[in-house]
């Protein structure tokens, strides 16, 4: 099997593509580990790179989230180990000294939505859809969403998205502050991203890193640890496993825990 991450350089811009189009670029352990390694490589070794672009392969999704086939059946300890892999990759993006652009075309759901939240710039097509559906399957966001989303859009919009598990379209995402620029037609998305990436990459790498450090709102370590523990317990719970199974079987979940 080929790499689940594709890397392409164009001058000072590096594009990282999540390469599981048949699975809507779902995030499994291998994808998360490869993504974390690639982002850290840019930070530590690839000094000529001044902007990163993260995108999904295919024409349907940026990423539809964590791979439910991998987390199905996990106990709390196993679930927390998986979640920590997600934290490693997504925190590497958030703390990258090189600006990271999320190029979103299609679904950005669950863990894919959380990955997008960690990027410094988000550019999306007008057909994109966004959401954190975890509440619908008895779970909670576990890759930092409970911390980053309220800081991005405010508590009111964040609670609505997380508690209802509903999806929003690109226009609504722009209205509440999820996107860096208004949504663009799908055909124009690559050009818009490329122009923005090259503009960013024309800056000084040191200057860009200093700017990111100056404005970054550091994610609380204790808060992320608490989220990870609760997310793991949710995944391993009777209702969490029922929700994951029902989603895979395309039926409504039957929750039994009070």
């Amino acid at each position: 099997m080929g790499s689940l991450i594709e890397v392409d350089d164009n001058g000072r811009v590096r594009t990282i593509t999540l390469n599981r189009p048949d699975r809507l670029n779902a995030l499994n352990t291998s994808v998360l580990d490869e993504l974390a390694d690639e982002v850290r490589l840019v930070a530590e070794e690839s000094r000529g790179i001044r902007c990163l672009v993260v995108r999904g392969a295919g024409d349907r999704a940026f990423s539809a989230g964590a791979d439910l086939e991998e987390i199905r059946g996990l106990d709390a300890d196993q679930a927390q180990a998986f979640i920590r892999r997600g934290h490693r990759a997504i925190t590497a993006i958030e703390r990258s000294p090189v600006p990271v652009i999320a190029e979103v075309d299609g679904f950005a759901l669950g863990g894919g939505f959380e990955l997008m939240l960690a990027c410094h710039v988000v550019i999306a097509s007008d057909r994109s859809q966004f959401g954190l559906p975890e509440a619908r399957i008895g779970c909670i966001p576990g890759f930092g969403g409970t911390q980053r989303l309220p800081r991005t859009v405010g508590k009111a919009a964040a609670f609505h998205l997380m508690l209802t598990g509903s999806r929003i379209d690109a226009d609504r995402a722009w209205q509440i502050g999820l996107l860096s620029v208004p949504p663009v037609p799908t055909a124009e998305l690559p050009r818009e991203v490329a122009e923005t990436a090259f503009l960013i990459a024309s800056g000084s790498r040191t200057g860009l890193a200093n700017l990111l450090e100056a404005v970054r709102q550091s994610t609380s370590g204790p808060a992320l640890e608490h989220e990870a523990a609760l997310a793991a317990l949710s995944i391993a719970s009777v209702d969490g496993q029922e929700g994951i199974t029902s989603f895979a079987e395309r039926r409504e979940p039957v929750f039994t825990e009070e």
Side-chain angles (χ1 to χ4, degrees):
M1 182 174 66
S3 174
L4 300 179
I5 297 288
E6 289 186 350
V7 178
D8 179 66
D9 288 352
N10 186 357
R12 294 171 175 170
V13 176
R14 175 166 295 175
T15 298
I16 298 173
T17 301
L18 310 179
N19 190 29
R20 298 186 76 200
D22 57 320
R23 297 286 297 165
L24 298 181
N25 302 312
L27 304 173
N28 63 11
T29 297
S30 296
V31 171
L32 292 169
D33 286 350
E34 287 189 38
L35 179 60
D37 290 344
E38 288 296 339
V39 174
R40 292 181 187 278
L41 178 66
V42 172
E44 297 170 3
E45 299 180 24
S46 301
R47 305 301 299 175
I49 300 300
R50 297 185 185 176
C51 185
L52 281 172
V53 175
V54 178
R55 61 183 299 277
D59 59 2
R60 297 180 63 196
F62 173 71
S63 172
D67 192 330
L68 296 186
E69 290 302 311
E70 183 162 346
I71 65 175
R72 187 175 181 179
L74 298 184
D75 62 28
D77 288 339
Q78 293 168 330
Q80 188 158 110
F82 175 79
I83 290 165
R84 289 184 187 280
R85 308 294 266 277
H87 280 187
R88 176 175 176 261
I90 292 175
T91 300
I93 289 173
E94 181 179 57
R95 298 180 180 174
S96 169
V98 175
V100 183
I101 300 173
E103 178 182 327
V104 180
D105 185 26
F107 298 118
L109 305 174
F113 183 103
E114 294 175 283
L115 190 160
M116 180 197 81
L117 281 175
C119 296
H120 306 113
V121 175
V122 180
I123 302 175
S125 70
D126 55 9
R127 68 175 181 178
S128 297
Q129 295 185 44
F130 307 82
L132 291 172
E134 287 84 354
R136 307 301 303 165
I137 60 170
C139 297
I140 71 170
F143 288 170
T146 65
Q147 305 306 302
R148 295 186 180 98
L149 185 59
R151 287 202 298 271
T152 301
V153 303
K155 285 186 177 180
F159 273 130
H160 186 270
L161 280 171
M162 290 189 288
L163 292 174
T164 65
S166 58
R167 296 180 187 178
I168 59 173
D169 62 20
D171 287 333
R172 180 59 178 158
W174 164 246
Q175 290 170 2
I176 65 175
L178 281 172
L179 308 185
S180 303
V181 296
V184 300
T186 299
E188 297 178 16
L189 182 63
R191 178 186 58 79
E192 181 75 24
V193 171
E195 289 180 355
T196 303
F198 281 108
L199 182 60
I200 290 172
S202 67
S204 156
R205 174 151 166 158
T206 299
L208 293 170
N210 288 340
L211 187 154
L212 291 177
E213 182 63 27
V215 302
R216 182 178 292 121
Q217 295 183 357
S218 297
T219 302
S220 167
L224 279 178
E225 288 295 316
H226 192 52
E227 179 198 75
L230 292 173
L233 289 172
S234 297
I235 289 171
S237 71
V238 172
D239 277 353
Q241 286 299 305
E242 163 62 12
I244 292 167
T245 299
S246 67
F247 186 88
E249 295 176 352
R250 300 181 183 278
R251 61 174 174 80
E252 289 296 316
V254 180
F255 295 135
T256 59
E257 293 178 326
E258 297 296 333

